[in-house]
Amino acid sequence: MEIKTVGVVGGGTMGSGIVQQFAQAGYKVIMARARPRAEIERLAEERGLGLIKRNLSRQVERERLTRGEADAILGRIQVAYDHGELAEVDLVIEAIVEIMAKKKEFFSKLDRIVKPEAILASNTSGLSITEIASATGRSGQVIGMHFFNPVPVMKLVEVVRGTDTSDSTFNTIMELAGKIGKEAIAVNEAPLFVVNRLLIPMINEAAFVLQEGISSAEDIDRGMRLGANHPIGPLALGDLVGLDVVLMIMDNLHWETRDSKYRASPLIRRLVRAGRLGRKTGRGFYDYKNRG
């Protein structure tokens, strides 16, 4: 199947990044959210479309794009005010909240809206593609397409097969990833897939090292930057991701595997309960309000 028009649902950082990536690659993209028109227009300008405009303006300022090229990219993006406007797209990528019940509800709705041959993809960072697909009547055409933040910068896409994902669907999405300038890795469904299965437990283990008083947050992060050549330390990375997100992912991994090695750090749980979620709240492992 040839993908010509793409729908993206979710106007946050990930959703807008995915929209920008496809539009820059020459695809017509429909950015859809099901809310009142006035609210959609405001959110689109403040968040989704606004983020894309700001990103493109920065590229123009850095002479990576001309103003004409940026305008052409924006011209390929359509903001939709009803999910019904996705009816004729070839691919829909879902980038909504990481709650299984909401994803299943949404995919069930999508299944009734889009044309029978369309592919439905989820940008989930670790939830079961098989379970999401079970809410549809086209489980062979449901797949994971996990981008990384910031989407226009990060090269990787995890292409995740559910139990019923067809070879045709899988091959189409693997090929598509290359067409939009990404490198894809093939993943058979498992909790957290590949990258987060390795990355999030590292953040969690760093929190245990801090909790046990083995070293300071600064020295733990410095150790991983200088000793393992990581661009950012695990605790600073946890603050960047959001400690509430880290905790949710660890709890999901623990629940899925029932393996005690994936028990979430009590320190992370305590910080989340205190509202110290990282950069987005100004405090996490580090205090960003008082940093120069």
Side-chain angles (χ1 to χ4, degrees):
M1 177 183 178
E2 185 179 1
I3 305 296
K4 294 181 179 178
T5 304
V6 178
V8 178
V9 182
T13 303
M14 290 301 295
S16 62
I18 294 168
V19 170
Q20 180 181 331
Q21 188 70 40
F22 274 94
Q24 284 191 211
Y27 289 86
K28 178 183 176 183
V29 190
I30 299 176
M31 184 165 56
R33 304 187 77 179
R35 296 192 185 191
R37 187 182 183 96
E39 185 178 357
I40 289 293
E41 290 174 342
R42 177 180 60 79
L43 288 173
E45 199 57 41
E46 290 179 0
R47 298 180 61 192
L49 198 58
L51 285 171
I52 295 169
K53 288 178 179 178
R54 290 191 289 275
N55 287 341
L56 293 176
S57 292
R58 281 195 292 271
Q59 290 190 51
V60 171
E61 289 169 6
R62 295 168 183 169
E63 300 184 344
R64 295 173 182 171
L65 289 175
T66 66
R67 173 48 61 188
E69 288 169 334
D71 289 342
I73 291 167
L74 289 170
R76 289 190 284 270
I77 301 170
Q78 172 188 336
V79 177
Y81 303 99
D82 186 279
H83 289 153
E85 296 181 58
L86 298 171
E88 294 302 317
V89 302
D90 303 305
L91 166 68
V92 180
I93 302 173
E94 163 272 314
I96 66 172
V97 64
E98 285 284 272
I99 298 174
M100 178 60 77
K102 291 188 178 295
K103 289 189 185 293
K104 290 174 72 174
E105 179 183 6
F106 177 67
F107 271 74
S108 178
K109 179 181 179 180
L110 264 185
D111 190 39
R112 298 190 298 271
I113 293 173
V114 301
K115 59 188 180 183
E117 63 270 30
I119 293 172
L120 307 182
S122 176
N123 182 55
T124 178
S125 59
L127 297 179
S128 169
I129 299 301
T130 299
E131 185 171 350
I132 292 171
S134 72
T136 76
R138 62 177 86 192
S139 57
Q141 293 157 242
V142 178
I143 195 165
M145 198 174 187
H146 179 216
F147 293 82
F148 291 79
N149 189 34
V151 176
V153 175
M154 302 296 281
K155 293 290 291 183
L156 182 67
V157 176
E158 290 181 316
V159 178
V160 187
R161 300 185 73 138
T163 299
D164 294 334
T165 303
S166 70
D167 289 343
S168 174
T169 297
F170 176 76
N171 292 335
T172 295
I173 297 303
M174 287 290 284
E175 183 180 347
L176 180 65
K179 288 179 177 178
I180 63 170
K182 298 299 185 186
E183 294 187 24
I185 60 172
V187 180
N188 292 318
E189 181 182 303
L192 301 194
F193 312 146
V194 172
V195 174
N196 282 337
R197 180 72 172 264
L198 300 172
L199 189 65
I200 300 299
M202 180 186 70
I203 296 170
N204 191 58
E205 193 62 29
F208 272 113
V209 172
L210 178 63
Q211 175 184 312
E212 293 165 17
I214 296 170
S215 193
S216 68
E218 291 80 2
D219 281 350
I220 292 167
D221 279 352
R222 188 180 299 117
M224 291 303 292
R225 291 198 314 273
L226 301 181
N229 206 27
H230 289 195
I232 184 173
L235 299 176
L237 179 59
D239 279 351
L240 182 62
V241 170
L243 298 185
D244 54 335
V245 176
V246 172
L247 179 60
M248 178 191 68
I249 292 173
M250 284 305 302
D251 282 345
N252 284 341
L253 182 57
H254 191 207
W255 169 256
E256 286 278 352
T257 63
R258 307 298 201 276
D259 192 328
S260 61
K261 72 179 179 181
Y262 295 125
R263 177 175 64 94
S265 159
L267 174 58
I268 293 179
R269 197 175 302 279
R270 190 162 66 246
L271 291 174
V272 170
R273 285 173 175 166
R276 292 176 56 174
L277 308 183
R279 285 186 176 272
K280 59 188 171 185
T281 61
R283 293 180 74 198
F285 291 114
Y286 296 99
D287 186 344
Y288 298 93
K289 295 176 180 177
N290 297 318
R291 281 185 144 189

